[in-house]
Amino acid sequence: MPAVLAAAWALLAAAFLAALLVLRRQQAPARRPGGGISGLFQDLLRYGKTKSGRGQRPAWLRRLQVPKRWFTHFYVVSVLWNGFLLIWLFRAEFLGGSLPSWIQHCLTCTNIFPSAHEHFSALLVLLLLWLHSCRRLAECLWTSVFSNGVIHIVQYCFGLGYYIAVGSTVLCQVPTDVRNGKELSVQICWYHIVGVTMYIWASLHQHRCLVILANLRKSKSGKVISLSHSIPFGDWFETVSCPHYFAELLIYVSMAITLGFHSVMWWCVVMCVLFNQALAAVLSHEFYQKNFSSYPKHRKAFIPFVF
């Protein structure tokens, strides 16, 4: 299972990279927007505001879309699934319990860590992932103001499965003895502190940026007054168009650090997040530049001063 997951994440990262390269090289569509292979490709990549302005899409494509506000479902699934895994792993770590047999059956027992005490890293990363999902769920419910944008049903299904796969990937980092119920001591390492600190820093900035986006559609009293798009300013928006995507990448990098840098499987996840978020950022950056003539020229799409 770990080898399969690692290969799947690597292939997924390669697919997102290929899509990004095709998108960057693609000139004006040779066919009517929304039609043919090019239209299907664009429809699979774009969501929300980046789908607008591309002409009338065929009826069969419109049937394959769901409201963007259904993003909330991703985090509901993540909170439930990764919370379940967190409880079982906590029991195995501190109470001498073992993971359910069906989970152990799915995970080939491989001891990823070079030293026994580093089993705590997996528990810590799973906790960070669960907290991240809880925060994003709360933001979807009480902070973000969703427009009438849509996402493709394939994107929706991918999002539902994504956090299940991510949680399972973290579980693959757990050494064999912990899975079988051997209680081990906790030892905090320097990279745990660095990783958690970076996680908190990136999470705070991501939340601030999401609040900035939400406030563009609210009055000073907090009432929603518009669903239109405006140019955001403040925090990391001063340097990039999509700082919340950049913060998402940093959050996953922080988890790689918390795992001790050496988990190849998790770095495959990071690469997947990198290219996925870069792809979404390029599309959003394109939208802002196309629709706002006064859009700041110095802003990059995704990574400050770089890309």
Side-chain angles (χ1 to χ4, degrees):
M1 182 69 170
V4 173
L5 273 175
W9 286 118
L11 287 174
L12 197 57
F16 282 126
L17 174 59
L20 177 61
L21 293 175
V22 169
L23 187 70
R24 296 286 285 178
R25 291 175 178 273
Q26 195 174 58
Q27 303 298 324
R31 304 184 183 186
R32 178 175 58 87
I37 300 299
S38 176
L40 178 60
F41 173 73
Q42 294 283 345
D43 209 55
L44 284 171
L45 296 184
R46 297 175 181 271
Y47 61 87
K49 62 179 177 289
T50 63
K51 277 188 183 292
S52 63
R54 297 193 57 79
Q56 183 67 23
R57 293 155 57 239
W60 69 273
L61 280 180
R62 295 197 299 273
R63 294 191 194 100
L64 299 175
Q65 63 189 30
V66 296
K68 184 188 173 185
R69 63 176 59 90
W70 284 15
F71 264 52
T72 307
H73 301 172
F74 304 161
Y75 302 112
V76 171
V77 169
S78 181
V79 168
L80 294 176
W81 171 251
N82 293 313
F84 165 77
L85 295 182
L86 183 62
I87 291 172
W88 278 104
L89 188 54
F90 181 86
R91 290 180 69 254
E93 296 273 2
F94 297 108
L95 303 179
S98 60
L99 296 178
S101 58
W102 63 271
I103 293 182
Q104 294 198 45
H105 179 72
C106 292
L107 300 175
T108 303
C109 292
T110 54
N111 195 333
I112 303 295
F113 298 118
S115 56
H117 61 74
E118 293 185 11
H119 69 285
F120 179 63
S121 299
L123 177 65
L124 188 55
V125 168
L126 193 56
L127 174 62
L128 295 179
L129 179 63
W130 183 75
L131 290 174
H132 176 61
S133 301
C134 289
R135 177 179 62 81
R136 291 295 294 118
L137 176 59
E139 288 166 343
C140 285
L141 292 174
W142 297 299
T143 301
S144 298
V145 180
F146 291 104
S147 64
N148 296 320
V150 296
I151 58 176
H152 197 281
I153 189 65
V154 172
Q155 295 171 318
Y156 177 71
C157 293
F158 172 80
L160 290 177
Y162 172 80
Y163 284 102
I164 294 177
V166 169
S168 301
T169 301
V170 176
L171 210 60
C172 286
Q173 314 302 306
V174 180
T176 305
D177 45 12
V178 175
R179 296 180 194 172
N180 293 333
K182 181 180 178 181
E183 185 178 354
L184 298 175
S185 60
V186 173
Q187 184 169 342
I188 298 177
C189 301
W190 64 269
Y191 49 79
H192 295 151
I193 298 173
V194 173
V196 171
T197 301
M198 183 177 179
Y199 170 88
I200 295 173
W201 173 66
S203 297
L204 286 174
H205 278 284
Q206 187 178 56
H207 177 71
R208 289 173 186 169
C209 292
L210 291 171
V211 169
I212 289 172
L213 287 175
N215 286 341
L216 292 175
R217 295 176 170 177
K218 297 179 181 179
S219 64
K220 292 183 178 180
S221 63
K223 182 180 179 180
V224 177
I225 57 176
S226 173
L227 294 180
S228 61
H229 297 281
S230 305
I231 302 176
F233 292 95
D235 204 74
W236 288 354
F237 278 111
E238 298 303 320
T239 54
V240 290
S241 295
C242 302
H244 46 311
Y245 296 161
F246 178 55
E248 186 81 4
L249 172 63
L250 294 180
I251 287 170
Y252 279 84
V253 171
S254 74
M255 294 179 187
I257 295 173
T258 305
L259 286 171
F261 293 95
H262 50 67
S263 174
V264 175
M265 189 186 306
W266 193 260
W267 282 112
C268 289
V269 175
V270 172
M271 295 304 292
C272 182
V273 173
L274 167 63
F275 296 129
N276 172 267
Q277 298 296 289
L279 181 61
V282 166
L283 292 172
S284 292
H285 190 63
E286 173 193 70
F287 171 86
Y288 284 123
Q289 290 181 321
K290 180 179 179 181
N291 289 276
F292 300 99
S293 58
S294 60
Y295 195 72
K297 303 295 183 182
H298 66 277
R299 286 191 191 180
K300 298 295 185 180
F302 181 42
I303 301 176
F305 313 111
V306 177
F307 176 75

